[in-house]
Structures are given as C-alpha cells and as structure tokens.
Amino acid sequence: MKVLCVIPARYASTRLPGKPLKDIAGKPMVVRVYERASKAKRVSETLVATDDQRIYDAVLAHGGKAQMTRADHPTGTDRLAEVVASRPDADLIVNVQGDEPLIDPGLIDQLAVCFEQDSDLQMATVKTEISDAAEQKNPNNVKVVTDQDGYALYFSRSLLPYPRHDGTPVYKHIGIYAYRRDFLLQYAKMPETPLEHAESLEQLRALENGYRIKVVETSSKFVGVDTEEDLEKVRAIYEKQLH
C-alpha cells in the first residue's frame, strides 16, 4: 500500500496571518511539520500543498517537496483532492495540518495500520484526552466522542460530553486524517452539510453522509498553532528539545 502524506498550507489565517512561515527555532513552521511527518516509516512520500509561492519556496529551500495548487479552494480537503487527483498510484492519503509542528510520526504509521487491518475502512483520525477544564471549554479545541468500537459519533467545538459525573473523560480531536484515495475524491465533491456549517468542521460532512470515521487514541500531547500564544508554547518546546 502506497501512503502519501500531504500537508495543506495557505498563507492567509484569520488569527495568525502568515502562520506557515512563522519561525520555530530557526525554521518555518510548515518545514517543522514536514520534517516530523517525513519520519513516518509507512509513508512513501511527503509533500506540502500550497497556493502561495512563499510557502512553496520555503519548503524547497529546506530540502522538502511541495506542490502548487489552485488559490480558490474553499477547504484544505479540496486542496488535498487536487494533489491526489494527479497521483493515481497513491492508495492511502494522510492529511497532516500545517499548524501541527509537534505531530508524532508514529501516529501516521498507526493510522496506516488501521487501513491494513480493515479493508472496508475509508477514513480515520486521532484523539487525545484533555484534563484541563479551560482547555476542555476552549472552542479552538475540537472535541470528539466515539462508540465502543472507536468510531466517531460526533465532533464539536462545545464541551462534549457534558461532564455530569466526576472523572468523565473529554477527548480532543487531533488535526490528522487518513483516507482511501477513492473515498477522498468522492468526499471532496460532497456539498457542505448542516452540522458541518454550524460547527465549521469538515469531518462532520462524512458523518452526516453516513460514513464511519475510525478514531485512534494517543497519549501524545500536541499544541496546534492557532494563536500567538500557541506559537510561543511550541517555540519553547522546540528550544528545549534542541538544547
């Protein structure tokens, strides 16, 4: 099974303009994401998909691979589909968000294994438990609840589930997805669904259309970069690792 890892990255960002090129310990954030994703053992190829020449040039300048895509894609999934359409040899596509510079390459391998073990599986993603009450309520942290077999029931920016009892676990959704090629191309063509629009969460489109999403649990902790504060946290972690 050929696994292609794609990192969609665009320059525009409401809360943090130019986010992919923000410096993290001497390298642009998108390069840090690329470096970590490239370490996954089951991935045949890793590339950044972007509509911005500055991001494209930065990735190549640091020895990475990148592909220019159209500028009018409404979502990262659409950008991903453009890349995948030109690569018919890819069996499995892993989508790593360009603002996850602490992504664990082992997680990419775990997702690939899910598809090796289940020939019917079309889509998978990742969750990690969050215990901090403020983090649980933060709408930037997407929450996910699953059934007893580990398939997603719902994703929300709201606190989910509501903890009426002490010890109720709350899980954060990590921005990494894996899809079979044919499903991804079909998924990208589906119209926006009501819950997807309400929460501004693309993955709800799959659930609303009756598809199952496998959710892999990890104990790894991540800091997705949405704000300047997040960026400073990641910079501190990298500086500590490098010294």
Side-chain angles (χ1 to χ4, degrees), residues 96-133:
V96 175
Q97 303 301 311
D99 58 5
E100 291 282 354
L102 296 175
I103 195 70
D104 180 0
L107 267 184
I108 298 173
D109 291 328
Q110 277 185 260
L111 286 173
V113 168
C114 289
F115 289 82
E116 292 172 2
Q117 295 175 340
D118 184 353
S119 60
D120 293 327
L121 184 62
Q122 300 297 317
M123 181 175 176
T125 189
V126 178
K127 69 176 181 180
T128 187
E129 188 171 351
I130 45 176
S131 55
D132 182 80

PDB file of all heavy atoms in Angstrom, residues 96-133:
ATOM      1  N   VAL A  96      -1.959  15.868   7.108  1.00  0.00           N
ATOM      2  CA  VAL A  96      -1.434  16.455   8.338  1.00  0.00           C
ATOM      3  C   VAL A  96      -1.583  17.967   8.248  1.00  0.00           C
ATOM      4  O   VAL A  96      -1.109  18.581   7.292  1.00  0.00           O
ATOM      5  CB  VAL A  96       0.048  16.078   8.551  1.00  0.00           C
ATOM      6  CG1 VAL A  96       0.607  16.809   9.776  1.00  0.00           C
ATOM      7  CG2 VAL A  96       0.198  14.578   8.731  1.00  0.00           C
ATOM      8  N   GLN A  97      -2.248  18.570   9.213  1.00  0.00           N
ATOM      9  CA  GLN A  97      -2.459  20.014   9.189  1.00  0.00           C
ATOM     10  C   GLN A  97      -1.127  20.751   9.310  1.00  0.00           C
ATOM     11  O   GLN A  97      -0.245  20.346  10.078  1.00  0.00           O
ATOM     12  CB  GLN A  97      -3.383  20.438  10.322  1.00  0.00           C
ATOM     13  CG  GLN A  97      -4.736  19.749  10.321  1.00  0.00           C
ATOM     14  CD  GLN A  97      -5.516  19.989   9.040  1.00  0.00           C
ATOM     15  OE1 GLN A  97      -5.650  21.123   8.597  1.00  0.00           O
ATOM     16  NE2 GLN A  97      -6.027  18.937   8.436  1.00  0.00           N
ATOM     17  N   GLY A  98      -1.004  21.849   8.586  1.00  0.00           N
ATOM     18  CA  GLY A  98       0.234  22.607   8.573  1.00  0.00           C
ATOM     19  C   GLY A  98       0.507  23.383   9.837  1.00  0.00           C
ATOM     20  O   GLY A  98       1.554  24.032   9.955  1.00  0.00           O
ATOM     21  N   ASP A  99      -0.422  23.328  10.811  1.00  0.00           N
ATOM     22  CA  ASP A  99      -0.207  24.018  12.077  1.00  0.00           C
ATOM     23  C   ASP A  99      -0.043  23.049  13.244  1.00  0.00           C
ATOM     24  O   ASP A  99      -0.350  23.363  14.383  1.00  0.00           O
ATOM     25  CB  ASP A  99      -1.346  25.004  12.369  1.00  0.00           C
ATOM     26  CG  ASP A  99      -2.722  24.326  12.401  1.00  0.00           C
ATOM     27  OD1 ASP A  99      -2.774  23.081  12.296  1.00  0.00           O
ATOM     28  OD2 ASP A  99      -3.733  25.030  12.528  1.00  0.00           O
ATOM     29  N   GLU A 100       0.464  21.834  12.929  1.00  0.00           N
ATOM     30  CA  GLU A 100       0.725  20.828  13.965  1.00  0.00           C
ATOM     31  C   GLU A 100       2.223  20.485  13.980  1.00  0.00           C
ATOM     32  O   GLU A 100       2.639  19.369  13.637  1.00  0.00           O
ATOM     33  CB  GLU A 100      -0.100  19.557  13.701  1.00  0.00           C
ATOM     34  CG  GLU A 100      -1.594  19.716  13.901  1.00  0.00           C
ATOM     35  CD  GLU A 100      -2.014  19.705  15.366  1.00  0.00           C
ATOM     36  OE1 GLU A 100      -1.160  19.459  16.238  1.00  0.00           O
ATOM     37  OE2 GLU A 100      -3.207  19.955  15.644  1.00  0.00           O
ATOM     38  N   PRO A 101       3.088  21.440  14.391  1.00  0.00           N
ATOM     39  CA  PRO A 101       4.534  21.209  14.354  1.00  0.00           C
ATOM     40  C   PRO A 101       5.047  20.205  15.374  1.00  0.00           C
ATOM     41  O   PRO A 101       6.231  19.867  15.363  1.00  0.00           O
ATOM     42  CB  PRO A 101       5.112  22.605  14.620  1.00  0.00           C
ATOM     43  CG  PRO A 101       4.053  23.307  15.393  1.00  0.00           C
ATOM     44  CD  PRO A 101       2.755  22.809  14.848  1.00  0.00           C
ATOM     45  N   LEU A 102       4.174  19.707  16.237  1.00  0.00           N
ATOM     46  CA  LEU A 102       4.579  18.680  17.203  1.00  0.00           C
ATOM     47  C   LEU A 102       3.983  17.318  16.861  1.00  0.00           C
ATOM     48  O   LEU A 102       3.950  16.422  17.696  1.00  0.00           O
ATOM     49  CB  LEU A 102       4.161  19.100  18.618  1.00  0.00           C
ATOM     50  CG  LEU A 102       4.830  20.367  19.151  1.00  0.00           C
ATOM     51  CD1 LEU A 102       4.241  20.751  20.501  1.00  0.00           C
ATOM     52  CD2 LEU A 102       6.334  20.188  19.262  1.00  0.00           C
ATOM     53  N   ILE A 103       3.521  17.167  15.633  1.00  0.00           N
ATOM     54  CA  ILE A 103       2.888  15.912  15.229  1.00  0.00           C
ATOM     55  C   ILE A 103       3.847  14.733  15.411  1.00  0.00           C
ATOM     56  O   ILE A 103       5.050  14.831  15.123  1.00  0.00           O
ATOM     57  CB  ILE A 103       2.394  15.992  13.753  1.00  0.00           C
ATOM     58  CG1 ILE A 103       1.430  14.854  13.455  1.00  0.00           C
ATOM     59  CG2 ILE A 103       3.544  16.034  12.768  1.00  0.00           C
ATOM     60  CD1 ILE A 103       0.108  14.962  14.134  1.00  0.00           C
ATOM     61  N   ASP A 104       3.339  13.638  15.918  1.00  0.00           N
ATOM     62  CA  ASP A 104       4.131  12.436  16.169  1.00  0.00           C
ATOM     63  C   ASP A 104       4.109  11.560  14.913  1.00  0.00           C
ATOM     64  O   ASP A 104       3.049  11.098  14.502  1.00  0.00           O
ATOM     65  CB  ASP A 104       3.531  11.672  17.357  1.00  0.00           C
ATOM     66  CG  ASP A 104       4.276  10.402  17.691  1.00  0.00           C
ATOM     67  OD1 ASP A 104       5.269  10.085  17.009  1.00  0.00           O
ATOM     68  OD2 ASP A 104       3.857   9.705  18.635  1.00  0.00           O
ATOM     69  N   PRO A 105       5.265  11.330  14.275  1.00  0.00           N
ATOM     70  CA  PRO A 105       5.276  10.495  13.066  1.00  0.00           C
ATOM     71  C   PRO A 105       4.736   9.089  13.307  1.00  0.00           C
ATOM     72  O   PRO A 105       4.202   8.452  12.398  1.00  0.00           O
ATOM     73  CB  PRO A 105       6.750  10.469  12.653  1.00  0.00           C
ATOM     74  CG  PRO A 105       7.514  10.934  13.845  1.00  0.00           C
ATOM     75  CD  PRO A 105       6.606  11.844  14.597  1.00  0.00           C
ATOM     76  N   GLY A 106       4.854   8.613  14.537  1.00  0.00           N
ATOM     77  CA  GLY A 106       4.326   7.293  14.855  1.00  0.00           C
ATOM     78  C   GLY A 106       2.819   7.219  14.697  1.00  0.00           C
ATOM     79  O   GLY A 106       2.266   6.148  14.402  1.00  0.00           O
ATOM     80  N   LEU A 107       2.136   8.360  14.869  1.00  0.00           N
ATOM     81  CA  LEU A 107       0.688   8.403  14.698  1.00  0.00           C
ATOM     82  C   LEU A 107       0.301   8.151  13.244  1.00  0.00           C
ATOM     83  O   LEU A 107      -0.708   7.512  12.955  1.00  0.00           O
ATOM     84  CB  LEU A 107       0.150   9.766  15.110  1.00  0.00           C
ATOM     85  CG  LEU A 107      -0.323   9.939  16.544  1.00  0.00           C
ATOM     86  CD1 LEU A 107      -0.903  11.318  16.726  1.00  0.00           C
ATOM     87  CD2 LEU A 107      -1.353   8.881  16.891  1.00  0.00           C
ATOM     88  N   ILE A 108       1.095   8.678  12.332  1.00  0.00           N
ATOM     89  CA  ILE A 108       0.835   8.464  10.904  1.00  0.00           C
ATOM     90  C   ILE A 108       0.915   6.971  10.599  1.00  0.00           C
ATOM     91  O   ILE A 108       0.071   6.427   9.884  1.00  0.00           O
ATOM     92  CB  ILE A 108       1.844   9.259  10.052  1.00  0.00           C
ATOM     93  CG1 ILE A 108       1.677  10.757  10.325  1.00  0.00           C
ATOM     94  CG2 ILE A 108       1.679   8.951   8.569  1.00  0.00           C
ATOM     95  CD1 ILE A 108       2.727  11.632   9.670  1.00  0.00           C
ATOM     96  N   ASP A 109       1.908   6.318  11.184  1.00  0.00           N
ATOM     97  CA  ASP A 109       2.041   4.875  10.998  1.00  0.00           C
ATOM     98  C   ASP A 109       0.869   4.118  11.615  1.00  0.00           C
ATOM     99  O   ASP A 109       0.363   3.148  11.037  1.00  0.00           O
ATOM    100  CB  ASP A 109       3.362   4.382  11.603  1.00  0.00           C
ATOM    101  CG  ASP A 109       4.579   4.866  10.831  1.00  0.00           C
ATOM    102  OD1 ASP A 109       4.470   5.031   9.601  1.00  0.00           O
ATOM    103  OD2 ASP A 109       5.625   5.093  11.458  1.00  0.00           O
ATOM    104  N   GLN A 110       0.404   4.561  12.786  1.00  0.00           N
ATOM    105  CA  GLN A 110      -0.747   3.918  13.425  1.00  0.00           C
ATOM    106  C   GLN A 110      -1.989   4.000  12.539  1.00  0.00           C
ATOM    107  O   GLN A 110      -2.747   3.031  12.426  1.00  0.00           O
ATOM    108  CB  GLN A 110      -1.054   4.592  14.767  1.00  0.00           C
ATOM    109  CG  GLN A 110      -0.234   4.108  15.932  1.00  0.00           C
ATOM    110  CD  GLN A 110      -0.685   4.750  17.228  1.00  0.00           C
ATOM    111  OE1 GLN A 110      -0.079   5.709  17.710  1.00  0.00           O
ATOM    112  NE2 GLN A 110      -1.751   4.236  17.808  1.00  0.00           N
ATOM    113  N   LEU A 111      -2.197   5.154  11.926  1.00  0.00           N
ATOM    114  CA  LEU A 111      -3.343   5.320  11.044  1.00  0.00           C
ATOM    115  C   LEU A 111      -3.242   4.390   9.845  1.00  0.00           C
ATOM    116  O   LEU A 111      -4.225   3.771   9.439  1.00  0.00           O
ATOM    117  CB  LEU A 111      -3.437   6.774  10.565  1.00  0.00           C
ATOM    118  CG  LEU A 111      -3.926   7.781  11.597  1.00  0.00           C
ATOM    119  CD1 LEU A 111      -3.811   9.197  11.054  1.00  0.00           C
ATOM    120  CD2 LEU A 111      -5.370   7.501  11.997  1.00  0.00           C
ATOM    121  N   ALA A 112      -2.048   4.277   9.280  1.00  0.00           N
ATOM    122  CA  ALA A 112      -1.855   3.390   8.124  1.00  0.00           C
ATOM    123  C   ALA A 112      -2.171   1.944   8.490  1.00  0.00           C
ATOM    124  O   ALA A 112      -2.790   1.212   7.701  1.00  0.00           O
ATOM    125  CB  ALA A 112      -0.426   3.516   7.608  1.00  0.00           C
ATOM    126  N   VAL A 113      -1.790   1.536   9.678  1.00  0.00           N
ATOM    127  CA  VAL A 113      -2.047   0.163  10.128  1.00  0.00           C
ATOM    128  C   VAL A 113      -3.547  -0.110  10.198  1.00  0.00           C
ATOM    129  O   VAL A 113      -4.010  -1.212   9.868  1.00  0.00           O
ATOM    130  CB  VAL A 113      -1.377  -0.082  11.501  1.00  0.00           C
ATOM    131  CG1 VAL A 113      -1.867  -1.392  12.116  1.00  0.00           C
ATOM    132  CG2 VAL A 113       0.132  -0.109  11.353  1.00  0.00           C
ATOM    133  N   CYS A 114      -4.333   0.884  10.617  1.00  0.00           N
ATOM    134  CA  CYS A 114      -5.796   0.710  10.685  1.00  0.00           C
ATOM    135  C   CYS A 114      -6.351   0.259   9.334  1.00  0.00           C
ATOM    136  O   CYS A 114      -7.242  -0.595   9.267  1.00  0.00           O
ATOM    137  CB  CYS A 114      -6.464   2.018  11.093  1.00  0.00           C
ATOM    138  SG  CYS A 114      -6.205   2.514  12.794  1.00  0.00           S
ATOM    139  N   PHE A 115      -5.845   0.839   8.257  1.00  0.00           N
ATOM    140  CA  PHE A 115      -6.342   0.521   6.922  1.00  0.00           C
ATOM    141  C   PHE A 115      -5.813  -0.830   6.431  1.00  0.00           C
ATOM    142  O   PHE A 115      -6.479  -1.509   5.655  1.00  0.00           O
ATOM    143  CB  PHE A 115      -5.956   1.637   5.944  1.00  0.00           C
ATOM    144  CG  PHE A 115      -6.713   2.908   6.170  1.00  0.00           C
ATOM    145  CD1 PHE A 115      -6.314   3.813   7.155  1.00  0.00           C
ATOM    146  CD2 PHE A 115      -7.850   3.209   5.432  1.00  0.00           C
ATOM    147  CE1 PHE A 115      -7.015   4.979   7.384  1.00  0.00           C
ATOM    148  CE2 PHE A 115      -8.559   4.377   5.653  1.00  0.00           C
ATOM    149  CZ  PHE A 115      -8.145   5.266   6.630  1.00  0.00           C
ATOM    150  N   GLU A 116      -4.639  -1.195   6.896  1.00  0.00           N
ATOM    151  CA  GLU A 116      -4.097  -2.510   6.558  1.00  0.00           C
ATOM    152  C   GLU A 116      -4.925  -3.611   7.210  1.00  0.00           C
ATOM    153  O   GLU A 116      -5.103  -4.690   6.655  1.00  0.00           O
ATOM    154  CB  GLU A 116      -2.634  -2.612   7.022  1.00  0.00           C
ATOM    155  CG  GLU A 116      -1.679  -1.710   6.253  1.00  0.00           C
ATOM    156  CD  GLU A 116      -0.283  -1.690   6.870  1.00  0.00           C
ATOM    157  OE1 GLU A 116      -0.085  -2.418   7.877  1.00  0.00           O
ATOM    158  OE2 GLU A 116       0.581  -0.957   6.372  1.00  0.00           O
ATOM    159  N   GLN A 117      -5.461  -3.316   8.383  1.00  0.00           N
ATOM    160  CA  GLN A 117      -6.218  -4.313   9.144  1.00  0.00           C
ATOM    161  C   GLN A 117      -7.698  -4.368   8.781  1.00  0.00           C
ATOM    162  O   GLN A 117      -8.372  -5.347   9.077  1.00  0.00           O
ATOM    163  CB  GLN A 117      -6.070  -4.021  10.642  1.00  0.00           C
ATOM    164  CG  GLN A 117      -4.644  -4.178  11.165  1.00  0.00           C
ATOM    165  CD  GLN A 117      -4.495  -3.764  12.619  1.00  0.00           C
ATOM    166  OE1 GLN A 117      -5.326  -3.034  13.152  1.00  0.00           O
ATOM    167  NE2 GLN A 117      -3.438  -4.228  13.267  1.00  0.00           N
ATOM    168  N   ASP A 118      -8.221  -3.307   8.156  1.00  0.00           N
ATOM    169  CA  ASP A 118      -9.644  -3.237   7.824  1.00  0.00           C
ATOM    170  C   ASP A 118      -9.810  -2.739   6.396  1.00  0.00           C
ATOM    171  O   ASP A 118      -9.683  -1.543   6.129  1.00  0.00           O
ATOM    172  CB  ASP A 118     -10.365  -2.302   8.802  1.00  0.00           C
ATOM    173  CG  ASP A 118     -11.871  -2.257   8.587  1.00  0.00           C
ATOM    174  OD1 ASP A 118     -12.352  -2.843   7.597  1.00  0.00           O
ATOM    175  OD2 ASP A 118     -12.568  -1.632   9.411  1.00  0.00           O
ATOM    176  N   SER A 119     -10.115  -3.648   5.488  1.00  0.00           N
ATOM    177  CA  SER A 119     -10.222  -3.298   4.069  1.00  0.00           C
ATOM    178  C   SER A 119     -11.443  -2.425   3.768  1.00  0.00           C
ATOM    179  O   SER A 119     -11.514  -1.807   2.711  1.00  0.00           O
ATOM    180  CB  SER A 119     -10.277  -4.569   3.217  1.00  0.00           C
ATOM    181  OG  SER A 119     -11.393  -5.366   3.579  1.00  0.00           O
ATOM    182  N   ASP A 120     -12.412  -2.366   4.695  1.00  0.00           N
ATOM    183  CA  ASP A 120     -13.615  -1.560   4.474  1.00  0.00           C
ATOM    184  C   ASP A 120     -13.479  -0.133   5.003  1.00  0.00           C
ATOM    185  O   ASP A 120     -14.309   0.724   4.699  1.00  0.00           O
ATOM    186  CB  ASP A 120     -14.826  -2.218   5.145  1.00  0.00           C
ATOM    187  CG  ASP A 120     -15.201  -3.544   4.492  1.00  0.00           C
ATOM    188  OD1 ASP A 120     -15.011  -3.660   3.265  1.00  0.00           O
ATOM    189  OD2 ASP A 120     -15.658  -4.443   5.207  1.00  0.00           O
ATOM    190  N   LEU A 121     -12.448   0.123   5.785  1.00  0.00           N
ATOM    191  CA  LEU A 121     -12.271   1.439   6.389  1.00  0.00           C
ATOM    192  C   LEU A 121     -11.973   2.482   5.317  1.00  0.00           C
ATOM    193  O   LEU A 121     -11.141   2.267   4.431  1.00  0.00           O
ATOM    194  CB  LEU A 121     -11.124   1.390   7.405  1.00  0.00           C
ATOM    195  CG  LEU A 121     -10.866   2.666   8.213  1.00  0.00           C
ATOM    196  CD1 LEU A 121     -12.078   3.024   9.067  1.00  0.00           C
ATOM    197  CD2 LEU A 121      -9.625   2.489   9.089  1.00  0.00           C
ATOM    198  N   GLN A 122     -12.663   3.632   5.403  1.00  0.00           N
ATOM    199  CA  GLN A 122     -12.497   4.692   4.414  1.00  0.00           C
ATOM    200  C   GLN A 122     -11.810   5.938   4.975  1.00  0.00           C
ATOM    201  O   GLN A 122     -11.160   6.674   4.232  1.00  0.00           O
ATOM    202  CB  GLN A 122     -13.864   5.105   3.850  1.00  0.00           C
ATOM    203  CG  GLN A 122     -14.629   3.985   3.169  1.00  0.00           C
ATOM    204  CD  GLN A 122     -13.907   3.445   1.944  1.00  0.00           C
ATOM    205  OE1 GLN A 122     -13.375   4.192   1.139  1.00  0.00           O
ATOM    206  NE2 GLN A 122     -13.884   2.132   1.811  1.00  0.00           N
ATOM    207  N   MET A 123     -11.954   6.174   6.297  1.00  0.00           N
ATOM    208  CA  MET A 123     -11.438   7.419   6.878  1.00  0.00           C
ATOM    209  C   MET A 123     -11.090   7.190   8.345  1.00  0.00           C
ATOM    210  O   MET A 123     -11.782   6.457   9.052  1.00  0.00           O
ATOM    211  CB  MET A 123     -12.497   8.518   6.735  1.00  0.00           C
ATOM    212  CG  MET A 123     -12.112   9.873   7.268  1.00  0.00           C
ATOM    213  SD  MET A 123     -13.429  11.105   6.886  1.00  0.00           S
ATOM    214  CE  MET A 123     -12.772  12.554   7.716  1.00  0.00           C
ATOM    215  N   ALA A 124     -10.024   7.818   8.793  1.00  0.00           N
ATOM    216  CA  ALA A 124      -9.607   7.684  10.194  1.00  0.00           C
ATOM    217  C   ALA A 124      -8.958   8.976  10.670  1.00  0.00           C
ATOM    218  O   ALA A 124      -8.464   9.775   9.869  1.00  0.00           O
ATOM    219  CB  ALA A 124      -8.637   6.523  10.361  1.00  0.00           C
ATOM    220  N   THR A 125      -8.968   9.161  12.000  1.00  0.00           N
ATOM    221  CA  THR A 125      -8.354  10.355  12.585  1.00  0.00           C
ATOM    222  C   THR A 125      -7.869  10.003  13.997  1.00  0.00           C
ATOM    223  O   THR A 125      -7.804   8.831  14.355  1.00  0.00           O
ATOM    224  CB  THR A 125      -9.332  11.547  12.569  1.00  0.00           C
ATOM    225  OG1 THR A 125      -8.640  12.733  12.938  1.00  0.00           O
ATOM    226  CG2 THR A 125     -10.523  11.318  13.480  1.00  0.00           C
ATOM    227  N   VAL A 126      -7.540  11.027  14.803  1.00  0.00           N
ATOM    228  CA  VAL A 126      -6.869  10.796  16.090  1.00  0.00           C
ATOM    229  C   VAL A 126      -7.492  11.633  17.198  1.00  0.00           C
ATOM    230  O   VAL A 126      -7.988  12.743  16.964  1.00  0.00           O
ATOM    231  CB  VAL A 126      -5.361  11.149  15.964  1.00  0.00           C
ATOM    232  CG1 VAL A 126      -4.643  10.957  17.290  1.00  0.00           C
ATOM    233  CG2 VAL A 126      -4.698  10.300  14.878  1.00  0.00           C
ATOM    234  N   LYS A 127      -7.437  11.106  18.427  1.00  0.00           N
ATOM    235  CA  LYS A 127      -7.889  11.855  19.604  1.00  0.00           C
ATOM    236  C   LYS A 127      -6.888  11.674  20.739  1.00  0.00           C
ATOM    237  O   LYS A 127      -6.120  10.709  20.773  1.00  0.00           O
ATOM    238  CB  LYS A 127      -9.271  11.371  20.065  1.00  0.00           C
ATOM    239  CG  LYS A 127      -9.263   9.959  20.665  1.00  0.00           C
ATOM    240  CD  LYS A 127     -10.641   9.556  21.187  1.00  0.00           C
ATOM    241  CE  LYS A 127     -10.602   8.154  21.809  1.00  0.00           C
ATOM    242  NZ  LYS A 127     -11.924   7.736  22.335  1.00  0.00           N
ATOM    243  N   THR A 128      -6.911  12.635  21.671  1.00  0.00           N
ATOM    244  CA  THR A 128      -6.105  12.526  22.892  1.00  0.00           C
ATOM    245  C   THR A 128      -6.909  13.116  24.045  1.00  0.00           C
ATOM    246  O   THR A 128      -7.669  14.077  23.851  1.00  0.00           O
ATOM    247  CB  THR A 128      -4.752  13.248  22.743  1.00  0.00           C
ATOM    248  OG1 THR A 128      -3.937  12.973  23.882  1.00  0.00           O
ATOM    249  CG2 THR A 128      -4.924  14.752  22.606  1.00  0.00           C
ATOM    250  N   GLU A 129      -6.776  12.548  25.228  1.00  0.00           N
ATOM    251  CA  GLU A 129      -7.563  13.024  26.371  1.00  0.00           C
ATOM    252  C   GLU A 129      -7.045  14.366  26.869  1.00  0.00           C
ATOM    253  O   GLU A 129      -5.829  14.588  26.927  1.00  0.00           O
ATOM    254  CB  GLU A 129      -7.530  11.990  27.505  1.00  0.00           C
ATOM    255  CG  GLU A 129      -8.486  12.321  28.642  1.00  0.00           C
ATOM    256  CD  GLU A 129      -8.616  11.204  29.675  1.00  0.00           C
ATOM    257  OE1 GLU A 129      -8.104  10.098  29.425  1.00  0.00           O
ATOM    258  OE2 GLU A 129      -9.237  11.465  30.726  1.00  0.00           O
ATOM    259  N   ILE A 130      -7.971  15.262  27.215  1.00  0.00           N
ATOM    260  CA  ILE A 130      -7.592  16.537  27.822  1.00  0.00           C
ATOM    261  C   ILE A 130      -8.264  16.644  29.188  1.00  0.00           C
ATOM    262  O   ILE A 130      -9.459  16.406  29.330  1.00  0.00           O
ATOM    263  CB  ILE A 130      -7.973  17.754  26.939  1.00  0.00           C
ATOM    264  CG1 ILE A 130      -9.401  17.637  26.380  1.00  0.00           C
ATOM    265  CG2 ILE A 130      -6.981  17.955  25.836  1.00  0.00           C
ATOM    266  CD1 ILE A 130      -9.860  18.848  25.590  1.00  0.00           C
ATOM    267  N   SER A 131      -7.462  16.985  30.192  1.00  0.00           N
ATOM    268  CA  SER A 131      -7.978  17.032  31.566  1.00  0.00           C
ATOM    269  C   SER A 131      -8.167  18.450  32.080  1.00  0.00           C
ATOM    270  O   SER A 131      -8.944  18.670  33.009  1.00  0.00           O
ATOM    271  CB  SER A 131      -7.022  16.273  32.500  1.00  0.00           C
ATOM    272  OG  SER A 131      -5.702  16.779  32.390  1.00  0.00           O
ATOM    273  N   ASP A 132      -7.464  19.426  31.488  1.00  0.00           N
ATOM    274  CA  ASP A 132      -7.570  20.802  31.937  1.00  0.00           C
ATOM    275  C   ASP A 132      -8.952  21.372  31.580  1.00  0.00           C
ATOM    276  O   ASP A 132      -9.363  21.343  30.417  1.00  0.00           O
ATOM    277  CB  ASP A 132      -6.471  21.658  31.295  1.00  0.00           C
ATOM    278  CG  ASP A 132      -6.509  23.094  31.770  1.00  0.00           C
ATOM    279  OD1 ASP A 132      -6.010  23.363  32.867  1.00  0.00           O
ATOM    280  OD2 ASP A 132      -7.052  23.946  31.028  1.00  0.00           O
ATOM    281  N   ALA A 133      -9.653  21.922  32.565  1.00  0.00           N
ATOM    282  CA  ALA A 133     -11.025  22.394  32.360  1.00  0.00           C
ATOM    283  C   ALA A 133     -11.097  23.525  31.342  1.00  0.00           C
ATOM    284  O   ALA A 133     -12.014  23.580  30.515  1.00  0.00           O
ATOM    285  CB  ALA A 133     -11.623  22.838  33.690  1.00  0.00           C
TER     286      ALA A 133
END
